[in-house]
């Protein structure tokens, strides 16, 4: 055993000393492999750092929002108290009681959020103490008003004790908000810097790998030229080429996995600022309602005191702007979810099993039965042949195509959707989903399968991702998809699959 090991080391040393193309290729491939391993390790570490930064941002944001919720609840209670004193209407009293009941729960939640944060815990304790004092002060005034001692209650309000408490609460909240805001900004900056550094590392590594690949290709070309002069080395060179192809295939697989992970990371990082925007939008809505309510009261008590432009801004302009912001953030959230869905689907291992596509299509149609019946549509499952493939992928493919067929039916005539299948020669099967809907112009037959691209009238909700996801899933199952369509007559989507799904050990199709 020792002599064999020594002999192998000797041959390896001799191979490394020889000035040959083979040695250069092996060294370059070894360098490329080492570079890939280094990049993978660096990317993993950077991803963990980015995730940790994002978690810190989320924790700080939750604490900040919890403190603001406590203050908003107090202000709602104070507004309701004053409304009850001024009008005596029970609706204000109910609002005050709801805020009073919610106060301890919100304070308890704030304490939990601030447990691991010394600064936040100190502020939470101060806010808890001041909030309780404020509720005691307001409860006393409410009790006087209930006893009919309105003058005494108003005297308590005019004493300024309540204002002092609210000023103290506002000051404490401002200090906490400034501290947490600076912390969020710092943590967000660190997260973004980590993400940018990850992109730079991957870009530099990709450039180096491309350069190494170019050098390897040049060396292989010279190697092939030498084959013409040395027929005796044909077998060895062919084996070497096969190893190179295998290594390049593995590199492409790894690169594809990196792209999928990159899409997941970018989508996840986009969600952090999006969550902030959505959170602030909700706060703007709440603030707008509070302002509108206050203006309504002021207008009731002192007509003409508030200008019409201010009323219009509070009741129309601000809600409209907030509505536009919310619609945009919801659309962006749907896009991010779609990108994450594509990324996750690419990483999922396929599981072959015998599928009854007819039964599958019928179950999918049952899930949208109310839409089918509402549009007076006939759903038909024709002749179907079974085949072996991944169930989840096929359910998503068929489901997307049936949903599209229902979505784009022509309202001017009764609808018809038919699913059928047949055997093809060479071990293939073909399934068709046919409808008599609007149809698709010939120039759009290829474009509809692209990401974020849609065709025809844009009067149906969607982001242009469904058919792109379908084509990606079909190709991953080793199949193909084509469309035949005439505007005004309908569309037919043809799906072609191998009758038996053959997988590599990694879980993808061969």
């Amino acid at each position: 055993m020792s002599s064999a090991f020594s002999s192998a080391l000797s041959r390896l040393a001799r191979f490394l000393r020889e000035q040959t193309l083979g040695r250069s290729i092996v060294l370059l491939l070894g360098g490329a492999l080492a570079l890939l391993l280094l990049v993978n390790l660096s990317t993993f570490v950077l991803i963990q750092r980015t995730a940790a930064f994002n978690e810190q941002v989320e924790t700080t944001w939750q604490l900040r929002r919890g403190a603001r919720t406590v203050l908003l609840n107090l202000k709602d209670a104070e507004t309701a108290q004053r409304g009850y004193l001024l009008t005596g209407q029970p609706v204000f009293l109910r609002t005050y009681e709801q805020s009073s009941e919610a106060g301890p729960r919100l304070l308890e939640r704030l304490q939990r959020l601030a447990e691991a944060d010394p600064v936040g815990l100190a502020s939470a304790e101060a806010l808890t103490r001041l909030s309780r004092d404020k509720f005691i002060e307001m409860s006393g005034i409410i009790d006087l008003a209930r006893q009919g001692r309105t003058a005494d209650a108003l005297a308590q309000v005019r004493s300024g004790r309540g204002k002092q408490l609210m000023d103290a609460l506002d000051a404490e909240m401002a200090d906490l908000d400034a501290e947490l805001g600076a912390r969020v900004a710092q943590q967000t900056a660190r997260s973004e810097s980590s993400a940018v550094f990850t992109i730079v590392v991957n870009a530099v590594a990709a450039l180096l790998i491309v350069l190494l690949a170019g050098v390897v290709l040049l060396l292989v070309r010279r190697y092939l030229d030498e084959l013409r002069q040395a027929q005796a080395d044909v077998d060895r060179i062919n084996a070497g080429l096969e190893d190179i192809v295998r290594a390049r295939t593995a590199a492409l697989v790894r690169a594809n996995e990196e792209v999928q992970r990159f899409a997941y990371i970018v989508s996840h990082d986009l969600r952090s600022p999006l969550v902030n925007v959505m959170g602030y939008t909700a706060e703007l809505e709440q603030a707008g309602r509070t302002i509108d309510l206050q203006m309504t009261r002021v207008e009731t008590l002192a007509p003409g005191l508030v200008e019409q432009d201010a009323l219009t801004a509070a009741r129309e302009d601000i809600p409209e702007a907030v509505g536009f912001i919310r619609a945009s953030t919801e659309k962006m959230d749907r896009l991010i979810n779609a990108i994450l869905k594509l990324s996750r689907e690419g990483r999922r291992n396929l599981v072959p099993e015998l599928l009854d596509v007819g039964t599958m299509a019928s179950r999918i149609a049952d899930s949208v039965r109310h839409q089918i019946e509402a549009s007076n549509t006939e759903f038909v499952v024709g002749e179907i042949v079974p085949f072996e493939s991944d169930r989840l992928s096929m359910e998503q493919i068929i489901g997307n195509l049936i949903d599209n067929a229902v979505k784009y039916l022509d309202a001017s005539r009764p609808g018809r959707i038919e699913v059928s299948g047949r055997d093809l020669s060479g071990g293939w099967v073909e399934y068709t989903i046919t409808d008599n809907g609007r149809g698709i112009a010939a120039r759009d037959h290829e474009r509809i399968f692209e990401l974020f691209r849609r065709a025809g009238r844009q009067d149906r909700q969607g982001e242009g991702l469904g058919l792109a996801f379908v084509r990606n899933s079909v190709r991953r199952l080793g199949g193909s998809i084509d469309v035949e369509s005439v505007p005004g007559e309908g569309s037919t989507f043809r799906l072609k699959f191998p009758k038996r799904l053959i997988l590599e050990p990694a879980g993808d199709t061969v």
Side-chain angles (χ1 to χ4, degrees):
M1 178 68 73
S2 177
S3 61
F5 183 70
S6 299
S7 177
L9 286 178
S10 176
R11 288 196 300 272
L12 177 61
R14 187 168 59 254
F15 172 76
L16 294 176
R17 286 196 302 270
E18 293 175 353
Q19 298 294 327
T20 62
L21 289 174
R23 188 197 71 161
S24 300
I25 291 174
V26 169
L27 290 177
L28 285 171
L29 289 176
L33 180 60
L35 179 61
L36 280 174
L37 291 175
L38 179 61
V39 170
N40 284 337
L41 179 61
S42 301
T43 302
F44 176 78
V45 173
L46 290 171
I47 289 171
Q48 295 300 316
R49 286 183 59 195
T50 302
F53 292 152
N54 289 337
E55 186 176 354
Q56 292 174 359
V57 170
E58 178 65 19
T59 301
T60 304
W61 168 246
Q62 289 293 339
L63 177 58
R64 190 180 187 187
R65 187 174 183 180
R68 288 182 174 182
T69 303
V70 168
L71 188 60
L72 287 174
N73 184 65
L74 265 172
K75 291 188 175 182
D76 287 345
E78 186 180 47
T79 301
Q81 174 219 26
R82 293 180 178 177
Y84 179 69
L85 290 178
L86 292 173
T87 65
Q89 295 181 5
V91 64
F92 293 107
L93 189 58
R94 286 195 296 272
T95 302
Y96 169 79
E97 290 172 347
Q98 291 171 358
S99 298
S100 178
E101 291 173 0
R105 185 174 66 256
L106 294 175
L107 289 170
E108 182 181 354
R109 179 174 178 270
L110 180 61
Q111 292 278 359
R112 288 199 306 271
L113 292 172
E115 283 178 351
D117 187 341
V119 175
L121 185 58
S123 294
E125 290 174 351
L127 287 173
T128 300
R129 174 173 45 79
L130 291 169
S131 296
R132 288 171 179 168
D133 290 345
K134 179 61 180 173
F135 271 116
I136 291 172
E137 183 261 344
M138 289 190 295
S139 296
I141 293 173
I142 290 290
D143 289 340
L144 289 174
R146 282 174 169 173
Q147 296 169 14
R149 299 167 59 188
T150 306
D152 294 337
L154 291 175
Q156 289 283 348
V157 174
R158 295 190 188 97
S159 69
R161 170 62 177 167
K163 184 178 184 306
Q164 291 174 0
L165 289 172
M166 285 306 296
D167 289 344
L169 282 163
D170 286 336
E172 185 66 35
M173 184 62 210
D175 292 341
L176 178 61
D177 201 54
E179 169 68 23
L180 296 182
R183 192 185 303 174
V184 167
Q186 181 183 10
Q187 292 167 346
T188 301
R190 293 173 66 188
S191 176
E192 291 174 352
S193 298
S194 180
V196 170
F197 187 64
T198 303
I199 295 172
V200 171
V201 168
N202 280 275
V204 171
L207 179 60
L208 292 176
I209 290 171
V210 169
L211 291 175
L212 286 173
V215 174
V216 170
L217 287 175
L218 290 175
L219 293 176
V220 170
R221 183 174 179 180
R222 289 180 57 191
Y223 211 30
L224 292 175
D225 291 339
E226 290 184 0
L227 282 177
R228 300 187 185 94
Q229 303 173 8
Q231 187 62 39
D233 296 334
V234 168
D235 293 336
R236 179 176 61 83
I237 294 175
N238 285 339
L241 289 174
E242 184 177 347
D243 290 339
I244 293 172
V245 171
R246 187 179 295 109
R248 290 182 62 195
T249 301
L252 288 173
V253 171
R254 288 193 294 271
N256 183 55
E257 292 173 351
E258 288 296 325
V259 170
Q260 291 172 353
R261 283 194 290 269
F262 176 74
Y264 178 82
I265 293 167
V266 171
S267 300
H268 187 271
D269 287 346
L270 286 175
R271 190 175 295 279
S272 294
L274 182 62
V275 168
N276 289 340
V277 173
M278 295 174 76
Y280 279 114
T281 301
E283 291 189 9
L284 285 174
E285 287 180 328
Q286 178 62 33
R289 287 193 290 268
T290 302
I291 292 171
D292 182 33
L293 179 60
Q294 190 64 27
M295 284 188 171
T296 300
R297 292 172 181 157
V298 172
E299 189 180 24
T300 302
L301 296 174
L305 182 61
V306 180
E307 294 183 0
Q308 185 60 39
D309 289 344
L311 291 173
T312 302
R315 295 173 178 172
E316 299 178 10
D317 298 342
I318 292 177
E320 182 181 23
V322 171
F324 286 141
I325 294 172
R326 181 172 293 281
S328 298
T329 55
E330 289 175 351
K331 180 177 181 180
M332 186 175 180
D333 188 52
R334 291 195 299 271
L335 293 176
I336 291 174
N337 288 333
I339 293 172
L340 285 173
K341 181 181 179 182
L342 286 172
S343 174
R344 293 186 182 118
E345 181 63 20
R347 298 195 303 272
R348 186 179 64 83
N349 288 335
L350 303 176
V351 181
E353 61 178 288
L354 189 63
L355 303 178
D356 184 347
V357 178
T359 302
M360 180 186 296
S362 296
R363 287 201 304 268
I364 293 171
D366 287 340
S367 68
V368 292
R369 180 65 60 186
H370 63 288
Q371 300 176 38
I372 292 176
E373 293 175 351
S375 57
N376 192 24
T377 299
E378 179 185 13
F379 185 85
V380 179
V381 176
E383 182 181 353
I384 293 291
V385 293
F387 83 120
E388 184 183 282
S389 192
D390 180 72
R391 176 177 296 278
L392 180 58
S393 295
M394 282 301 299
E395 286 177 345
Q396 292 171 338
I397 291 168
I398 301 298
N400 271 286
L401 292 176
I402 290 177
D403 285 343
N404 269 8
V406 173
K407 183 187 295 184
Y408 295 106
L409 287 169
D410 191 335
S412 64
R413 61 176 181 269
R416 176 180 171 83
I417 301 172
E418 181 177 357
V419 179
S420 61
R422 63 190 180 99
D423 280 318
L424 299 178
S425 59
W428 292 79
V429 295
E430 181 185 74
Y431 296 98
T432 60
I433 293 89
T434 303
D435 64 71
N436 64 339
R438 298 180 181 177
I440 305 166
R443 66 178 181 276
D444 294 325
H445 284 186
E446 180 61 26
R447 189 173 68 170
I448 59 174
F449 294 106
E450 298 174 4
L451 280 171
F452 310 120
R453 302 296 294 271
R454 304 177 69 192
R457 300 196 308 272
Q458 305 302 308
D459 58 348
R460 295 290 189 274
Q461 186 177 3
E463 310 301 336
L465 291 165
L467 290 179
F469 177 79
V470 166
R471 182 165 67 173
N472 180 68
S473 299
V474 169
R475 288 177 174 176
R476 191 161 184 242
L477 296 179
S480 62
I481 180 170
D482 297 296
V483 61
E484 301 170 3
S485 183
V486 176
E489 296 183 10
S491 304
T492 297
F493 287 87
R494 297 189 181 277
L495 306 169
K496 183 179 177 182
F497 299 101
K499 292 196 70 173
R500 184 169 177 266
L501 184 65
I502 302 175
L503 301 179
E504 291 181 333
D508 284 326
T509 54
V510 177

